[in-house]
Amino acid sequence: MPRRLLVLAAFVLFAASSHGQKAEMPAEKNACPANAPFLSADALKKAGVEFPVFKRYCYADKSGSHALVLGEKQDTPFSGELLSSAIQASLFKVGSDGALTRQWSIRDFAGKADAGINFRSKLVELADLDADGLIEPILVYRFFAPDDEGGFSSSDFSGGIKIITFHQGRKVAIHAITGQLDGERRTTANANFFALPKPARQYLVRKMAGMYSARQFGFDNSYGFMPQEERGAR
């Protein structure tokens, strides 16, 4: 069997097995097969991925096989951590011939007051938020505040964080800013969050509560970790 077809067949078997797993799983467990030809540097460049690839996740649901690609510009080095000025995430549907069809893509940028930005890969998930047989990848990325010594602060009560997912083609965005004082912490979400089915909203709220308990980020817990409606477009 030609190498291209052999690797593609391995992906199909991998994706089929993941389809039978739990409705939610850490994305780290779904790393794409090594040397998958449909995710080569040339293939991803043609598909519109511009930044260095940080992570690649493969999975299948009732709509087919998919590849989630995370890219980071990786242009802001610090001691012990490589941050970026910009990040990119793209979800592709993988055809039977290995062709990539983009389903959605996002970009985000560190602000002028940020030391940098990066994905929190251990917090990225693949979840079926409303039990409809379709997986919604949940992205998490952190905005780091600078410290007083020319570096950045990794405290869970500094900087900001975003949680992004897509439900039925609509982008759901949660944006949280934290601080040492209660009045400095704020969590907001766009209108698409509040339009989610109740179980999906509850899942994301539980995720934030879990991150708070694990000291991964200091969310505002004034409303039981429920985001407030953002004012204006973000």
Side-chain angles (χ1 to χ4, degrees):
M1 180 182 293
R3 178 177 175 81
R4 174 184 174 85
L5 294 179
L6 181 62
V7 176
L8 182 58
F11 169 73
V12 172
L13 290 173
F14 171 85
S17 65
S18 71
H19 186 37
Q21 294 175 2
K22 293 175 63 178
E24 65 274 345
M25 66 199 86
E28 288 285 299
K29 295 183 179 181
N30 284 69
C32 293
N35 301 319
F38 50 88
L39 293 177
S40 67
D42 287 343
L44 291 176
K45 184 176 181 180
K46 290 178 181 178
V49 177
E50 298 180 7
F51 297 157
V53 173
F54 172 62
K55 293 287 184 180
R56 309 181 309 175
Y57 305 116
C58 291
Y59 68 91
D61 58 20
K62 72 178 186 180
S63 69
S65 299
H66 303 272
L68 174 65
V69 180
L70 308 184
E72 297 180 339
K73 201 167 184 180
Q74 299 180 346
D75 56 351
T76 313
F78 289 93
S79 177
E81 187 86 35
L82 182 60
L83 302 183
S84 298
S85 62
I87 59 170
Q88 179 182 26
S90 299
L91 180 69
F92 299 98
K93 188 169 185 178
V94 183
S96 59
D97 59 351
L100 298 177
T101 302
R102 186 164 59 185
Q103 305 296 290
W104 52 256
S105 184
I106 67 162
R107 286 191 187 189
D108 212 335
F109 305 88
K112 292 182 179 179
D114 298 320
I117 183 176
N118 69 11
F119 284 108
R120 312 311 289 168
S121 59
K122 292 183 179 179
L123 298 174
V124 174
E125 288 184 72
L126 304 174
D128 183 353
L129 293 176
D130 53 359
D132 63 354
L134 299 174
I135 295 295
E136 287 90 19
I138 302 174
L139 308 175
V140 181
Y141 52 93
R142 179 86 182 265
F143 298 83
F144 290 92
D147 62 19
D148 296 330
E149 300 177 353
F152 69 94
S153 173
S154 58
S155 166
D156 49 321
F157 286 98
S158 70
I161 205 165
K162 283 189 180 181
I163 300 174
I164 304 292
T165 190
F166 280 76
H167 182 261
Q168 297 181 354
R170 293 185 292 270
K171 180 182 176 182
V172 175
I174 299 171
H175 183 205
I177 298 172
T178 191
Q180 296 297 324
L181 303 177
D182 289 347
E184 296 174 330
R185 298 191 285 273
R186 183 175 75 256
T187 304
T188 58
N190 66 358
N192 290 335
F193 170 83
F194 297 98
L196 286 171
K198 185 176 180 179
R201 295 196 308 272
Q202 291 175 329
Y203 185 94
L204 294 172
V205 169
R206 287 196 303 270
K207 181 175 181 66
M208 288 184 281
M211 290 168 61
Y212 184 91
S213 297
R215 301 181 64 87
Q216 292 165 327
F217 191 76
F219 288 97
D220 176 16
N221 62 357
S222 301
Y223 305 93
F225 296 100
M226 177 64 70
Q228 301 303 290
E229 191 168 358
E230 66 181 9
R231 298 177 181 177
R234 188 178 298 280

